Amino acid sequence: MTQEDRSVRTSRPEGIWGAVLLPVGEDGEIDFAALADEIDFLCESRLAGIYTNGTAGEFFNQTEGEFDQVSEMVADRARRLGKPFQIGVSNSNPRLARERLRRVRALNPNAVQITLPDWWPPSAAEQARFVTGMQAEAAETALVLYNPPHAKVQLDLSDIAVLRDEAPSLFGIKVKGGGKSWYAERRALLPDFSVFVAGHTVAFGRPLGANGSYSNVACLSPDGAVRYWELIETDLAAAKDLEARFAKLVDDHLMPLANSQGLSNAALDKLMAAAGGWGPIGPRLLWPHSGADRATVNSIGSAARRLLPELF
């Protein structure tokens, strides 16, 4: 491993990172003035960093012009306010993802997030070819692989270790996480690798080896998600109790909406942001996807404050 590779590995991310969500106006277009206000709020929060174009950031439904404008705005404001930032370049078309990476490299993000090609499940050889190709395009920029539960290829820890060895610039991954045996395997196979798990599971995962989260809890309350992360160190029992109550919010309030109203994961994340009321984020998604209505936002806001007062 070269000195450059060592530098990439030792600077790997930790802590709670917040998603940059897209404010969508009544005209159905991204409200970039509101987006600027949101970015400033996130940069002034206690989050460890911010990132663009995860599922909640609707990367799958942006034009290339919108992608460039969002990326440039985040890079400019985050750099000016001293907040670490990552840019997601994910696209179901791997060639477009590579072009996005080529363009954002000059913005000097702390890392670039990628997903595997997703229209057709890539073979192991195709996965390696994609990741090494993205590493070559990234040059000195580090890579984080995002492997969500709905991806067509679900990577196990041994798969991730293979890709990490193929591409040393790959220094982290965002995954669902698992149980105690999963974390034991994670510690054995990926000791020098940053593993980020679902935000509402970090009280369980942090003592076992989770390095942080690109957090859904931060959609509801950015600073509250940081307090939750810190509580794990000072009062693990209280953190686990909070985690159980967040699970109750999900199971009793959010998932029934997903089933009855057909709301996607992105819609649920934007619903939480609107219910949290911390910034100019409404529940509306980019066309043609559905978001929650205002009555639902108010209902979730009331339930969240009743179940999780310490987040607010």
Side-chain angles (χ1 to χ4, degrees):
M1 183 183 296
T2 67
Q3 185 61 41
E4 180 179 304
D5 292 338
R6 291 190 185 94
S7 176
V8 166
R9 292 289 180 81
T10 56
S11 62
R12 64 185 194 266
E14 295 184 343
I16 302 301
W17 289 58
V20 175
L21 303 164
L22 300 181
V24 178
E26 292 185 4
D27 60 358
E29 301 297 325
I30 299 171
D31 182 340
F32 282 97
L35 179 62
D37 291 341
E38 177 203 353
I39 295 166
D40 288 351
F41 179 92
L42 292 173
C43 287
E44 291 164 359
S45 74
R46 297 177 59 231
L47 292 166
I50 63 174
Y51 67 99
T52 67
N53 300 330
T55 299
E58 298 176 84
F59 77 85
F60 49 85
N61 200 16
Q62 293 177 32
T63 68
E64 294 305 282
E66 289 168 340
F67 168 84
D68 289 341
Q69 192 169 350
V70 170
S71 299
E72 290 164 9
M73 181 177 286
V74 168
D76 175 66
R77 303 184 93 83
R79 191 178 300 110
R80 189 149 38 83
L81 293 169
K83 182 68 74 176
F85 69 99
Q86 298 178 4
I87 293 179
V89 301
S90 301
N91 195 295
S92 61
N93 182 331
R95 296 167 66 206
L96 287 180
R98 185 172 58 179
E99 288 180 6
R100 288 182 170 188
L101 176 51
R102 187 176 298 139
R103 297 200 301 276
V104 305
R105 190 175 59 199
L107 300 177
N108 295 316
N110 294 82
V112 166
Q113 294 186 16
I114 61 175
T115 53
L116 294 174
D118 202 53
W119 182 254
W120 187 261
S123 67
E126 290 166 337
Q127 294 167 33
R129 190 177 304 128
F130 171 74
V131 172
T132 56
M134 295 297 273
Q135 175 181 252
E137 195 63 59
E140 297 180 5
T141 304
L143 301 177
V144 172
L145 181 60
Y146 176 28
N147 189 226
H150 54 269
K152 288 194 173 68
V153 171
Q154 290 296 301
L155 299 172
D156 61 30
L157 289 161
S158 60
D159 297 328
I160 298 165
V162 168
L163 293 175
R164 186 274 316 270
D165 290 341
E166 291 275 357
S169 290
L170 182 65
F171 73 171
I173 190 161
K174 175 183 178 180
V175 289
K176 180 180 179 181
K180 290 183 178 180
S181 61
W182 186 89
Y183 277 103
E185 187 179 6
R186 171 264 187 280
R187 295 192 299 272
L189 292 178
L190 299 164
D192 58 347
F193 198 71
S194 193
V195 175
F196 275 42
V197 298
H200 61 286
T201 68
V202 292
F204 175 79
R206 186 176 184 184
L208 298 172
N211 299 99
S213 177
Y214 300 108
S215 175
N216 58 346
V217 180
C219 291
L220 181 65
S221 173
D223 282 336
V226 176
R227 290 195 296 273
Y228 164 41
W229 175 254
E230 293 171 342
L231 188 63
I232 298 167
E233 286 190 321
T234 60
D235 191 341
L236 181 57
K240 287 186 174 180
D241 177 66
L242 191 157
E243 187 162 278
R245 285 182 279 123
F246 193 93
K248 184 173 179 62
L249 177 70
V250 173
D251 293 342
D252 293 355
H253 298 275
L254 290 172
M255 292 315 298
L257 289 172
N259 295 329
S260 66
Q261 299 185 23
L263 297 181
S264 64
N265 286 350
L268 294 176
D269 285 340
K270 294 187 87 169
L271 166 58
M272 284 197 290
W278 51 265
I281 308 299
R284 189 179 290 114
L285 273 69
L286 293 169
W287 180 89
H289 298 292
S290 300
D293 58 28
R294 181 51 57 182
T296 299
V297 170
N298 293 338
S299 173
I300 293 300
S302 296
R305 285 165 176 79
R306 184 176 67 254
L307 287 167
L308 305 160
E310 58 269 66
L311 290 186
F312 302 96

